[in-house]
Amino acid sequence: MFERSPKLKISVEELAVIEAALHTQSKILNMQASAGGDTARARLNEVKRLLSSLAQRKPAGKTNQTKAPFWGFRFPGLSRICG
């Protein structure tokens, strides 16, 4: 009758890692799509929808104020290269 989807428990830190990976994937797919990849464009749209969904579901007050990825604090030069 009613299907229940399984609930996953993900920490805020784990969510930040997933979100950073999706942003990186989005950049890669954007480059591939700009080169004419129709499959990459479709996948890019899926990733963007997922990022939007994650942003809406993120716990209030736990937003990351910096634009640098989470590892940018350990490797400051890397955030300038990749950000």
Side-chain angles (χ1 to χ4, degrees), residues 13-77:
E13 292 81 16
E14 291 170 328
L15 187 60
V17 171
I18 293 168
E19 192 172 12
L22 287 172
H23 279 290
T24 301
Q25 184 67 23
S26 174
K27 289 178 183 181
I28 293 167
L29 289 169
N30 192 35
M31 292 298 291
Q32 291 174 344
S34 68
D38 293 333
T39 305
R41 173 69 58 198
R43 185 75 175 145
L44 176 61
N45 290 335
E46 291 173 12
V47 170
K48 284 183 175 182
R49 276 192 294 275
L50 181 55
L51 281 168
S52 175
S53 176
L54 285 175
Q56 292 172 2
R57 295 174 187 222
K58 196 181 289 188
K62 302 272 184 177
T63 59
N64 188 358
Q65 297 296 324
T66 64
K67 188 172 173 134
F70 71 98
W71 38 260
F73 299 110
R74 285 198 174 166
F75 308 104

